[in-house]
Amino acid sequence: MNVTRFSGIAFPVLSDRVFKWSFVLPAILILVAFNILPLVWALVLSFTDYSPGNPEWHFVGLGNYLEILSGEAYWESFSVTAVYTILSVSLQAAVGFGMALFVRRNFPGRGVVAALFLLPMMMSPVIVGLFWRYLYSPNLGLINQITGWEVDWLSDARFTLWAVVFVDVWMWSPFVMLLCAAGLSSVPAHLYEAAEIDQASTWMKFRRITLPMVAPILVLALIFRTMESFKTFDLALGVAKSAQSAPALVSLKIYGLAFVTWDMGKACALAYLVLALIAGICSIHLRALDQMSRR
């Protein structure tokens, strides 16, 4: 080993390869310890009837998966989650894109308005959920007081899902706005100038220039928000009074299996089914994104 001396003290000289691995190896070990190993262990548990209160657990093969796929309660959770994801993500795309078009205009205080738009996504989902729970309160809530309605938003099953969707859209539309604003800023100005010369209408410029140029960024935002919508837990639990009154989202179903009934094996199986579903949906989005990039 080569050494160098400084003030009479010998220090080892590391090769470039050892020097690089000394930075990379700790990150890899942390990734394996906190991400890879729990995923592998959860996959193993999904094939068992493991429960923390039952030390004698057994291998059940595909039993957990078959029970989930044949259970009506689980399919109801998947259907509710699908409706929630479609409503939430589509509204976030529309609202976020509209916000991006708005802040793109030149008007006094544009920077302040854009910063105010970004505030909801900077807050904790639990705090946002608790804040909106008080707004939704049937007696003391500001929403019923302003509108004059007498709606129990968090107990009536007809309104609970929409209440959570509205909060999710309010919180995460700024994220879509941020990505779309970056896409709008990259649109070449000469395209709009050429459209002005051809006397194209505002709708034609939006349809032929703005939307096609921003579409890849918008699809990317949809991928991120789709993944997060399937995993929505803290926001829904914060808005609702309890897990029982919250919408029957699949994330809350996993929570109930794992930490209420302590059926860890079935909870892990359901979590992996959700993971496979998210991977399939994201692959469709990525294929669409790849086709857009080739045009």
Side-chain angles (χ1 to χ4, degrees), residues 88-98 173 176 180 218 222:
S88 178
V89 174
S90 57
L91 288 174
Q92 287 174 34
V95 175
F97 192 57
S173 291
V176 180
C180 291
L218 188 59
L222 293 179

Side-chain angles (χ1 to χ4, degrees), residues 39-118:
L39 281 174
V40 174
W41 181 237
L43 180 61
V44 173
L45 291 181
S46 68
F47 297 104
T48 68
D49 60 353
Y50 172 75
S51 175
N54 182 18
E56 297 181 0
W57 46 283
H58 308 87
F59 179 78
V60 296
L62 297 176
N64 290 329
Y65 292 94
L66 295 176
E67 184 176 349
I68 291 172
L69 294 176
S70 61
E72 294 184 2
Y74 298 102
W75 281 108
E76 181 184 358
S77 293
F78 278 115
S79 61
V80 171
T81 305
V83 172
Y84 170 80
T85 301
I86 292 172
L87 291 174
S88 178
V89 174
S90 57
L91 288 174
Q92 287 174 34
V95 175
F97 192 57
M99 293 166 63
L101 291 174
F102 178 74
V103 299
R104 185 169 177 259
R105 299 173 176 270
N106 290 321
F107 58 89
R110 184 180 66 169
V112 177
V113 172
L116 292 175
F117 280 165
L118 293 175

